[in-house]
Structure formats: C-alpha cells, structure tokens
Amino acid sequence: PEQALQLFGDVSVLAEQFQFDLDKSIQLPLRYNIAPTQNVAAVRLVDGKRQLALLRWGLIPSWAKDTKIGSSTINARSDTVATKPAFRAAYKRRRCLVLADGYYEWLRVGKSKQPYLYELDGGKPFALAGLWESWRGPAGPDAPPMETCSLLTTDANELAKKIHDRMPVILPWEVAPFWLDPLEPEEKLQSLLQPLPADLMATHRVSKQVNNSTIQGHQLIAPETTAGLPFLN
C-alpha cells in the first residue's frame, strides 16, 4: 500500500482520551497494518454526542453508482476539499476524527520501497482529520448503508517531507472538537488543516513486511536496522 495506519490502543483508553461513548458492540483488535479499503476507527458527532464508528477507508460519495471511486478517494487535499465533488458535501456536514497510533510512508530505495513509521509522543494515540459518507448504492433505501471515509492531507513538515511532500492532518486534542462541530465556519476549518510541527513527531524505519497488508504483529513496528538506509531523525 502507499499508505497505512496502525491502531492498537485499548478501546476504553481511547474512549477516555477522545471522550466518546463506549459502545460494547464495537471491538477494536490490535491492528499494526491498516490499509486502504479496510475499516478504520473514527469518532463522529451523532445527535450532539461523540460516537465511535468503523468506517471503510476510501470515501464513496452518496451519488456514486458503484464502489470503484473509493480506491481514488483515500485522501482529500485540504486546499481543494471544499470544492471537489466527491468531498464537498462531507466536508460541510460529515467530519470525523480517524484514530491512529502511527502512520506509515514509503521511501523509494532503488527499485524497492522502504516503509517508515511516524509516531507522536512515544506511540500514543492521535486524531487525524477525516470525512465520512454513507452510501446505499443500487440496492435501494432499504439496504444497509456502507459507511466510508477519507483522510485530509496537507503540506509535509520538515520531518515528513524527507519521504513525501504531503502528510495527513494530525489534529491536537485542543482543536479536534472544532473539526467535529457542524457549525464551524470554513475559515476556522481551514485554519485547522496545517502540518503538525515536526518536533512533535518521530519516525523510524520498519520491516518491509508492512508492504503486505495481510501481515499483522508487533514485529512490524520494531526499528529496522538494515545497513545503508537512513534514519530520518
């Protein structure tokens, strides 16, 4: 995958940190390698309360005829999200926080790609700015909807740009509630979509097993020490 997340925080700890109602029907197994088209954990507002939901990564607009568009809507650019047809409705009314303990980016080394893991504060959970949609498709209004999401991206900070010129929008907790608030004006929303300062992040090289999204386990995030490849910080 070109992007992947990890999330292995205990759901009760996440509920306390991100202040959502604990839903015992939602289980969060340890996930060291979450790829696009798989479910991610997200917090959204429902009737004024924060709710945890599992959303398929790759947003499918309500008007889409099929699910194919989801493979190209993994990310939404902060500078165009308000006007892109696939995202603009969700940007106005359906914003969410996608939870993660880290995210992966790949550095091209010769003909291969080397994954690096980005973390905050020693691997503590954080919130990514996201959008979500509900899609029913051709099955009609009585069919259960497919709920999907995209991650917002922005210009990379000094650490992230060593691998890629874009990075996901990481929202510090003090501003995350503004992102969820449906009444926030666009000027305020856009002010939140900034790169996190590089000094709040760390990265290290990890196993190429991350390249296979079916592989899970703690061995994926252990620092990789292959000679000749750079540690970025």
Side-chain angles (χ1 to χ4, degrees):
E2 291 300 316
Q3 252 188 299
L5 304 175
Q6 65 172 21
L7 180 65
F8 45 85
D10 180 83
V11 67
S12 60
V13 175
L14 294 172
E16 183 176 353
Q17 178 176 345
F18 297 102
Q19 299 176 15
F20 59 81
D21 292 335
L22 198 56
D23 184 344
K24 294 182 179 180
S25 69
I26 297 180
Q27 300 297 315
L28 293 182
L30 302 183
R31 301 285 302 283
Y32 291 89
N33 196 2
I34 307 170
T37 75
Q38 296 178 351
N39 284 344
V40 296
V43 176
R44 59 188 178 181
L45 278 186
V46 178
D47 297 328
K49 295 183 178 181
R50 293 193 186 110
Q51 176 198 74
L52 181 67
L54 296 178
L55 307 175
R56 185 180 187 267
W57 187 5
L59 186 140
I60 303 172
S62 60
W63 46 258
K65 294 182 178 180
D66 55 45
T67 63
K68 293 179 182 178
I69 191 174
S71 61
S72 60
T73 53
I74 297 162
N75 296 324
R77 289 181 62 100
S78 298
D79 51 347
T80 59
V81 65
T83 57
K84 287 282 187 180
F87 302 123
R88 60 192 179 194
Y91 176 62
K92 288 180 180 179
R93 296 185 290 274
R94 289 176 290 279
R95 297 183 294 275
C96 64
L97 306 173
V98 176
L99 306 185
D101 296 306
Y103 76 91
Y104 299 98
E105 289 284 4
W106 277 260
L107 176 68
R108 183 172 291 279
V109 181
K111 295 183 179 180
S112 65
K113 291 183 177 180
Q114 174 65 48
Y116 284 76
L117 174 64
Y118 285 87
E119 295 178 308
L120 275 65
D121 199 13
K124 291 183 179 178
F126 54 85
L128 300 164
L131 311 172
W132 69 275
E133 270 288 6
S134 182
W135 181 80
R136 292 184 182 275
D142 296 329
M146 177 184 291
E147 294 188 327
T148 61
C149 68
S150 289
L151 300 182
L152 273 289
T153 66
T154 186
D155 294 332
N157 62 28
E158 290 301 314
L159 180 61
K161 72 169 48 174
K162 295 180 179 181
I163 291 183
H164 201 283
D165 61 355
R166 306 287 295 174
M167 66 178 290
V169 175
I170 300 171
L171 295 175
W173 182 241
E174 60 268 21
V175 302
F178 297 116
W179 179 248
L180 291 179
D181 188 343
L183 300 180
E184 286 296 331
E186 184 175 341
E187 295 79 13
K188 176 68 173 181
L189 296 177
Q190 283 293 319
S191 73
L192 304 178
L193 303 179
Q194 306 297 324
L196 192 73
D199 60 1
L200 298 179
M201 300 171 59
T203 188
H204 64 264
R205 198 170 59 239
V206 293
S207 170
K208 288 185 179 180
Q209 292 183 63
V210 178
N211 297 345
N212 183 343
S213 61
T214 66
I215 298 177
Q216 299 289 331
H218 190 269
Q219 78 280 0
L220 295 181
I221 65 172
E224 170 66 61
T225 56
T226 305
L229 293 177
F231 280 100
L232 297 185
N233 65 333

